Amino acid sequence: DTAVSQTPKYLVTQMGNDKSIKCEQNLGHDTMYWYKQDSKKFLKIMFSYNNKELIINETVPNRFSPKSPDKAHLNLHINSLELGDSAVYFCASSTSGGVGPDTQYFGPGTRLTVL
Amino acid sequence: RKEVEQDPGPFNVPEGATVAFNCTYSNSASQSFFWYRQDCRKEPKLLMSVYSSGNEDGRFTAQLNRASQYISLLIRDSKLSDSATYLCVHKAAGNKLTFGGGTRVLVKP
């Protein structure tokens, strides 16, 4: 029973292409997140959605567009991929959007390689 | 200055030994602190929350020093399975987690 799942696990694509990564959680959480972990292993938040509403939007190029069709799903679409987009993208979810020290549960990650 | 800074290591630890490492943070308004563990090519997982009074979970002890703005993690009786990267995390308003770059621990027989 996977709690937070992401597809695909690996994604290799050419520069300039458009790609999407999907995330689903079956924990009943109302907040979901996208993180990027670069080659230096720094994990940085990109976006956060609470009940389908955007609540955190860090300084991310607008080629990245998150979409939350419902509170169990948060997808990430990336336009015009660049070499610097190569990284591992993690989806996460938690119970609340800012109240209390709740735990964030991470998906297994999507390793994106842009050639 | 990064918001959360950690010694990247690696800390090479003999099995059964004790290892401790710190993490400094710059945002004095940080509300909550955590240690996450990340195995190679895996997702981060919560190891423990860090409370002002210090807390212990089995062989792991976490401390928070607000005056000096650092948190620490101590691992006693290290096991081979403790080999991982330990991520220091603080939470500010809006449930935004800020991660340190991680401290790599290698436990050797």
Side-chain angles (χ1 to χ4, degrees):
Chain A
D1 289 347
T2 306
V4 183
S5 59
Q6 295 179 229
T7 53
K9 193 167 182 181
Y10 299 96
L11 185 52
V12 181
T13 188
Q14 298 285 336
M15 230 170 33
N17 283 351
D18 303 338
K19 290 292 178 187
S20 292
I21 308 172
K22 295 187 176 181
C23 178
E24 176 180 2
Q25 54 94 2
N26 62 7
L27 297 167
H29 291 164
D30 51 18
T31 306
M32 295 184 72
Y33 313 80
W34 276 111
Y35 288 86
K36 177 180 179 181
Q37 189 168 40
D38 60 24
S39 57
K40 294 182 179 177
K41 306 300 182 189
F42 279 94
L43 197 63
K44 292 182 184 173
I45 190 162
M46 300 172 71
F47 302 102
S48 170
Y49 271 72
N50 179 261
N51 278 319
K52 303 193 296 174
E53 297 292 326
L54 181 66
I55 55 170
I56 294 175
N57 184 354
E58 292 297 290
T59 307
V60 175
N62 55 17
R63 298 181 294 103
F64 290 79
S65 50
K67 282 190 172 55
S68 182
D70 55 63
K71 72 175 192 179
H73 295 83
L74 180 62
N75 304 323
L76 184 66
H77 187 76
I78 315 169
N79 287 328
S80 303
L81 278 154
E82 300 177 357
L83 294 176
D85 298 333
S86 296
V88 181
Y89 292 84
F90 287 101
C91 177
S93 72
S94 68
T95 53
S96 70
V99 178
D102 60 296
T103 302
Q104 291 191 17
Y105 294 85
F106 284 78
T110 295
R111 187 171 294 272
L112 171 65
T113 303
V114 182
L115 303 174
Chain B
R1 184 184 172 186
K2 292 192 177 72
E3 279 194 65
V4 181
E5 292 205 65
Q6 295 183 249
D7 181 340
F11 283 64
N12 293 300
V13 185
E15 194 175 6
T18 295
V19 61
F21 40 90
N22 293 341
C23 158
T24 58
Y25 63 93
S26 58
N27 184 353
S28 58
S30 296
Q31 297 175 345
S32 309
F33 300 88
F34 310 89
W35 283 104
Y36 273 69
R37 171 193 168 130
Q38 186 172 25
D39 293 297
C40 189
R41 301 179 82 88
K42 297 284 189 183
E43 71 273 21
K45 292 183 180 176
L46 179 68
L47 178 67
M48 58 197 300
S49 300
V50 186
Y51 303 122
S52 296
S53 54
N55 50 300
E56 195 173 302
D57 183 359
R59 298 180 293 106
F60 297 83
T61 300
Q63 297 277 356
L64 165 61
N65 186 318
R66 283 197 185 271
S68 301
Q69 294 188 204
Y70 74 87
I71 69 171
S72 64
L73 182 66
L74 183 145
I75 308 173
R76 282 185 302 279
D77 188 22
S78 298
K79 311 288 183 196
L80 296 177
S81 58
D82 294 334
S83 296
T85 297
Y86 291 85
L87 303 169
C88 170
V89 186
H90 82 81
K91 189 177 86 162
N95 212 26
K96 177 186 165 185
L97 297 187
T98 300
F99 286 77
T103 295
R104 194 161 165 229
V105 172
L106 294 173
V107 181
K108 301 191 173 178

